[in-house]
């Protein structure tokens, strides 16, 4: 069994990426400026990344456009694109430990999650889209014998992908897989807090045979790099994952520039609705995974428990036992399930929302301690006696914080579940089949998981209702729509 020491030794062998990755090689920001990237477990600087600006974005987009127009990737035979993407996926698996350690150091994620989920799912996503794209057919319209209406898909062109810090590799893959599979060139802007694994991914893509310039990475702040991509007149589409507030800006950027297509995957405040007939041990296990996984920094996390009054106390006592199993500590220890939050600023945002919960009268029934180490650690906290007007019930906290609300009737349960401006995901626990069908339709969320906490898998479309999303879906073949134009070719056959 590989232990903490093993992964610490691996950190010493890491070679950190150096600069933006444009046209197949690393280069510094044109200004020469850099930004420190911090290990949230130790509060120490890991390395620096390029602090880019619009000039670097212009260079990356111009290169991506030139390569797109050359056809070297956009017009490559689908079977060839497939084999390159499968090789890329294979290289990701071959470099599992290096990528996992990089991800863990940079984001604070437990190494076990990186090894078992983030990196393998990244490889799986690239392979899935690589496999899918040479099995999708175009269409012929039912236009009779006098005309032939062909509906063909074309790559959209240059895609900007703007990404968050909570799943750095996996969110990159969710955009990159379908965008590359459909023949586009992509400029990725990772979060300034977690750029390292994405840069390494770009190197592996090149090694796999993806031509230089097809996958460029520009690092830096949202204000400098994200906005320059959003406002760029030669970027055809933006696929964004991040907060709702930033997502709104991308709609404005699009309106102010070239009306580029914008797809947004944004925030959440997901309910977990539990009926009295549910298997409470199972609920406790899944709910703990949902609100504690990735230290609560997951967009779909069930952060509002909505439980039938008759089983509330029984569930909460099981849930506390479950939460006790989540060991906090060094992310590089394979036994650790809870690492630090991503940054000092984020920790202070989460703790101030927790304080607001206390001030507004919610009752802490589990946890409540603050930092437990030198980094940005926070132990889990459960608030009881929450009502839906309280801040902890309305705002996305993005930390290991659960709010408990309760109900007596099915109508109350649905009304509480939908009483949010978000609509990303929901869990429903009941063993009543007809209730399952009835309620899963009534809950306003992009994914409703029944008797589990789940986001579905790579084959199912993922995206939010209400303020949780806009314009399209990630995952499944639906994701290909984000990155393709549909063209009608109409051929007159009448003469
Ligand atoms: P964020 O909105 O702060 O940042 C996301 C990206 O946008 C980063 O790359 C950032 O640099 C960039 N950015 C920030 N300000 C910008 C600006 N003014 N102009 C252009 N770009 C800008 O989000 P975050 O804090 O990195 O991530 C957490 C959020 O992401 C949470 O709200 C979470 O729910 C959401 N999220 C959603 C999903 C989903 O699929 N729905 C998945 C993961 C995370």
């Amino acid at each position: 069994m590989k232990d903490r020491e093993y992964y610490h030794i691996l950190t010493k062998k890491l070679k950190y990426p150096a600069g933006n990755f444009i046209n197949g090689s690393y280069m510094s920001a044109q200004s020469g400026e850099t930004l420190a990237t911090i290990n949230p477990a130790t509060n120490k600087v890991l390395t620096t990344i390029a602090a880019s600006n619009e000039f670097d974005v212009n260079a990356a987009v111009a290169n991506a456009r030139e390569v797109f127009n050359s056809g070297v990737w956009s017009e490559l035979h689908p079977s060839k694109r497939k084999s390159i993407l499968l090789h890329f996926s294979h290289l990701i698996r071959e470099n599992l430990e290096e990528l996992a350690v990089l991800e863990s150091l940079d984001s604070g994620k437990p190494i076990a999650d990186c090894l078992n989920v983030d990196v393998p799912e990244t490889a799986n996503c690239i392979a899935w889209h690589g496999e899918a794209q040479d099995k999708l057919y175009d269409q012929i319209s039912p236009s009779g014998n006098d005309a032939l209406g062909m509906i063909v898909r074309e790559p959209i062109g240059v895609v900007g992908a703007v990404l968050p810090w909570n799943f750095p590799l996996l969110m990159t893959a969710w955009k990159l897989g379908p965008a590359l599979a459909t023949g586009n060139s992509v400029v990725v802007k990772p979060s300034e807090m977690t750029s390292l694994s994405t840069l390494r991914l770009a190197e592996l893509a090149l090694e796999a045979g993806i031509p230089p310039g097809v996958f460029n990475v520009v690092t830096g702040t949202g204000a400098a790099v994200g906005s320059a991509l959003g406002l760029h007149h030669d970027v055809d589409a933006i696929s964004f994952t991040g907060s709702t507030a930033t997502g709104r800006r991308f709609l404005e950027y699009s309106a102010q520039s070239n009306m580029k297509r914008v797809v947004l995957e944004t925030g959440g405040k997901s309910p977990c609705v539990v009926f009295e007939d549910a298997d409470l041990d199972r609920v406790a296990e899944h709910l703990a995974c949902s609100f504690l996984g990735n230290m609560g920094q997951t967009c779909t996390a069930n952060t509002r428990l909505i439980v039938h009054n008759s089983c509330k106390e029984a569930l909460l006592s099981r849930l506390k036992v479950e939460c006790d199993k989540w060991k906090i500590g060094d992310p590089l220890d394979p036994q650790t399930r809870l690492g630090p939050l991503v940054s000092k600023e984020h920790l202070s945002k989460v703790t101030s929302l927790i304080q607001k919960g206390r001030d507004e009268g919610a009752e802490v029934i589990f946890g409540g301690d603050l930092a437990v180490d030198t980094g940005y650690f926070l132990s889990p906290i459960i608030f009881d006696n929450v009502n839906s007007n309280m801040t902890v019930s309305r705002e996305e906290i993005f930390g290991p914080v659960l709010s408990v609300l309760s109900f007596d009737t099915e109508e109350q349960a649905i009304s509480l579940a939908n009483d949010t401006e978000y609509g990303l995901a929901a869990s429903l626990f009941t063993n009543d089949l007809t209730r399952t069908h009835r309620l899963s339709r009534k809950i306003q969320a992009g994914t409703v998981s029944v008797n589990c906490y789940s986001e579905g898998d790579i084959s199912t479309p993922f995206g939010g209702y209400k303020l949780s999303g806009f314009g399209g879906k990630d995952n499944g073949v639906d994701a290909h729509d984000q990155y393709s134009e549909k063209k009608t070719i109409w051929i007159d056959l009448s003469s």
Side-chain angles (χ1 to χ4, degrees):
M1 165 87 175
K2 290 171 177 168
D3 58 8
R4 176 176 180 272
E5 199 183 345
Y6 174 84
Y7 292 107
H8 274 276
I9 290 169
L10 281 192
T11 65
K12 305 209 168 69
K13 298 183 187 158
L14 283 179
K15 203 167 140 261
Y16 291 119
N20 291 321
F21 197 80
I22 300 175
N23 202 24
S25 43
Y26 282 119
M27 53 187 74
S28 306
Q30 292 183 24
S31 67
E33 288 183 18
T34 58
L35 268 176
T37 184
I38 310 277
N39 177 348
T42 60
N43 196 15
K44 293 201 174 120
V45 174
L46 274 175
T47 183
T48 57
I49 56 166
S52 312
N53 61 29
E54 63 186 288
F55 299 109
D56 304 291
V57 170
N58 290 344
V61 171
N63 171 239
R65 173 65 61 195
E66 190 186 331
V67 173
F68 180 80
N69 288 346
S70 77
V72 62
W73 181 254
S74 55
E75 291 171 21
L76 195 63
H77 193 280
S79 65
K80 293 213 170 101
R81 276 212 296 264
K82 174 174 77 177
S83 62
I84 293 173
L85 287 170
L86 291 180
H87 186 39
F88 181 24
S89 167
H90 173 73
L91 288 179
I92 295 168
R93 286 184 197 282
E94 251 187 21
N95 290 275
L96 167 77
E97 288 193 336
E98 182 202 342
L99 285 167
V101 170
L102 206 52
E103 192 81 322
S104 177
L105 281 178
D106 207 13
S107 69
K109 261 174 200 292
I111 187 76
D113 292 353
C114 300
L115 289 165
N116 298 321
V117 182
D118 295 72
V119 181
E121 286 301 320
T122 296
N124 188 32
C125 176
I126 300 292
W128 195 89
H129 288 288
E131 279 285 5
Q133 52 91 41
D134 75 341
K135 295 164 191 70
L136 297 174
Y137 292 74
D138 287 336
Q139 293 172 310
I140 302 288
S141 66
S143 305
N145 290 337
D146 290 343
L148 175 63
M150 300 194 300
I151 303 150
V152 298
R153 276 174 187 271
E154 296 178 345
I156 200 162
V158 175
V159 172
V162 181
L163 301 169
W165 44 260
N166 64 338
F167 289 88
L169 271 176
L170 194 53
M171 290 302 102
T172 303
W174 280 18
K175 313 295 187 190
L176 201 61
L180 292 183
T182 43
N184 298 280
S185 294
V186 187
V187 178
V188 176
K189 184 252 176 273
S191 166
E192 54 273 39
M193 287 184 265
T194 55
S195 299
L196 302 181
S197 57
T198 303
L199 287 162
R200 180 69 182 115
L201 204 61
E203 277 186 89
L204 293 176
L206 188 73
E207 190 183 332
I210 293 174
V214 171
F215 172 13
N216 289 337
V217 183
V218 182
T219 62
T221 64
V225 179
S227 62
L229 265 177
L231 286 164
H232 205 292
H233 281 266
D234 205 23
V235 170
D236 300 294
I238 287 281
S239 189
F240 168 82
T241 296
S243 63
T244 297
T246 309
R248 284 180 197 274
R249 288 179 185 264
F250 278 93
L251 294 175
E252 288 167 14
Y253 297 151
S254 171
Q256 286 163 22
S257 54
N258 58 343
M259 292 212 314
K260 58 179 67 64
R261 184 181 298 172
V262 174
V263 172
L264 308 174
E265 301 293 354
T266 50
K269 191 75 192 174
S270 302
C272 172
V273 181
V274 181
F275 282 87
E276 63 283 8
D277 60 346
D279 172 346
L280 297 186
D281 289 325
R282 186 177 170 85
V283 179
E285 191 189 330
H286 280 253
L287 182 55
C289 281
S290 171
F291 93 95
L292 296 182
N294 204 27
M295 292 68 73
Q297 303 168 129
T298 306
C299 52
T300 53
N302 290 159
T303 51
R304 293 183 301 135
L305 167 63
I306 297 170
V307 55
H308 194 271
N309 271 315
S310 67
C311 62
K312 178 176 152 183
E313 291 314 320
L315 175 59
L316 289 180
S317 58
R318 285 168 171 79
L319 186 60
K320 289 175 194 169
V321 173
E322 245 349 280
C323 291
D324 276 331
K325 295 181 190 164
W326 283 66
K327 180 176 173 286
I328 300 185
D330 177 2
L332 288 176
D333 181 344
Q335 303 302 320
T336 294
R337 295 182 81 183
L338 284 167
L341 300 192
V342 74
S343 69
K344 198 173 187 173
E345 294 69 31
H346 188 57
L347 176 66
S348 87
K349 182 194 150 204
V350 172
T351 51
S352 74
L353 284 165
I354 290 174
Q355 188 53 46
K356 213 161 192 180
R358 294 177 196 270
D359 295 344
E360 290 177 4
E363 183 192 348
V364 177
I365 57 161
F366 182 87
D369 311 323
L370 292 182
V372 296
D373 209 330
T374 49
Y376 316 133
F377 293 86
L378 178 68
S379 53
I381 178 162
I382 302 177
F383 280 116
D384 195 3
N385 296 325
V386 174
N387 68 52
S388 37
N389 296 323
M390 289 180 181
T391 307
V392 288
S393 167
R394 303 213 76 80
E395 274 193 34
E396 184 184 46
I397 299 175
F398 232 53
V401 184
L402 179 71
S403 296
V404 182
L405 301 99
S406 57
F407 66 89
D408 290 310
T409 66
E410 203 173 286
E411 290 67 33
Q412 285 171 347
I414 289 300
S415 154
L416 284 170
N418 290 337
D419 187 9
T420 167
E421 54 189 3
Y422 295 109
L424 189 55
S427 293
L428 171 64
F429 286 86
T430 176
N431 281 322
D432 180 332
L433 188 61
T434 52
R435 181 192 275 149
T436 297
H437 282 284
R438 199 167 52 239
L439 296 200
S440 53
R441 302 281 179 139
K442 285 192 181 166
I443 296 175
Q444 296 158 351
T447 301
V448 177
S449 49
V450 179
N451 291 328
C452 63
Y453 161 66
S454 173
E455 294 182 349
D457 69 13
I458 183 67
S459 66
T460 55
F462 178 90
Y465 286 20
K466 303 198 271 187
L467 290 188
S468 290
F470 175 89
K473 301 281 182 183
D474 283 338
N475 292 347
V477 285
D478 290 47
H480 292 211
D481 292 344
Q482 275 192 53
Y483 307 103
S484 319
E485 286 286 12
K486 269 190 181 173
K487 176 183 278 178
T488 296
I489 301 176
W490 186 261
I491 303 175
D492 187 350
L493 304 176
S494 59
S495 54

